[in-house]
Amino acid sequence: MNKLKFLLILMAVNWTVNFGYAQVGINTTNPLSTLDINGNLSVKVITLTGGSSASPTPISDGVYLSLDPRNGTTDNYILPLPSSVPGRVYILRNITDFDTAQLSISGGTQRFFPKNSSSGTFTIAMPPNSDNKSLILISDGFNWTYFN
């Protein structure tokens, strides 16, 4: 009986160790990363209309987000705290030609940092005809870093 217990424990440990270092390959027999995709990747696309500064539209789902501000001036969108979604990536695009989308962060003192900068801001404007019309945002667990 003791030998059976020992054998089961040894098998469980071996399975756990091997499972912990698993690599998954899609369309490849030799994955070189935790997830290795040899082919195209599709991500969830969502279109969001904005809200007022008092009631901004939350961004919490999807990867590619088409922001559709419609009120004639500036519509507001709010991202989750970066500490609640470390490593999350969003691709945002203001799809209008007339209205500005403005981003802020839900609560706290976290900031948006442009790439290669140590100066952050609490909001980002995404005017319809500017370099900020399309942004990629990445949470480092403390703040959001963005690239245009």
Side-chain angles (χ1 to χ4, degrees), residues 102-122:
Q102 182 160 304
L103 305 176
S104 60
I105 301 170
S106 176
T109 59
Q110 290 75 18
R111 297 181 185 182
F112 296 103
F113 285 92
K115 65 178 181 180
N116 301 327
S117 177
S118 58
S119 298
T121 61
F122 293 106

Side-chain angles (χ1 to χ4, degrees), residues 6 21 31 33 48 53 68 104 114-115 119 130 140 142:
F6 178 74
Y21 295 104
S33 298
L48 296 173
S53 58
D68 190 11
S104 60
K115 65 178 181 180
S119 298
S130 76
D140 63 7
F142 299 99

Side-chain angles (χ1 to χ4, degrees), residues 1-144:
M1 185 67 169
N2 285 338
K3 287 182 182 181
L4 180 61
K5 282 184 185 178
F6 178 74
L7 182 59
L8 289 174
I9 291 171
L10 186 60
M11 287 173 55
V13 168
N14 185 37
W15 180 79
T16 303
V17 169
N18 288 333
F19 182 74
Y21 295 104
Q23 293 177 318
V24 175
I26 298 174
N27 203 23
T28 180
T29 56
N30 186 25
L32 302 175
S33 298
T34 304
L35 176 60
D36 192 343
I37 301 171
N38 182 13
N40 296 322
L41 172 68
S42 295
V43 295
K44 188 173 187 177
V45 177
I46 293 177
T47 299
L48 296 173
T49 55
S52 68
S53 58
S55 182
T57 299
I59 294 176
S60 60
D61 192 17
V63 174
Y64 187 97
L65 296 128
S66 298
L67 305 182
D68 190 11
R70 297 181 177 197
N71 72 6
T73 56
T74 299
D75 274 3
N76 294 274
Y77 301 85
I78 191 162
L79 279 95
L81 284 169
S83 58
S84 68
V85 289
R88 183 167 293 176
V89 176
Y90 288 119
I91 302 167
L92 305 175
R93 179 160 177 84
N94 180 349
I95 62 172
T96 68
D97 289 329
F98 305 104
D99 298 320
T100 297
Q102 182 160 304
L103 305 176
S104 60
I105 301 170
S106 176
T109 59
Q110 290 75 18
R111 297 181 185 182
F112 296 103
F113 285 92
K115 65 178 181 180
N116 301 327
S117 177
S118 58
S119 298
T121 61
F122 293 106
T123 61
I124 301 175
M126 297 177 67
N129 298 308
S130 76
D131 287 342
N132 278 359
K133 184 172 177 80
S134 296
L135 297 175
I136 298 172
L137 290 105
I138 303 171
S139 166
D140 63 7
F142 299 99
N143 297 287
W144 288 97

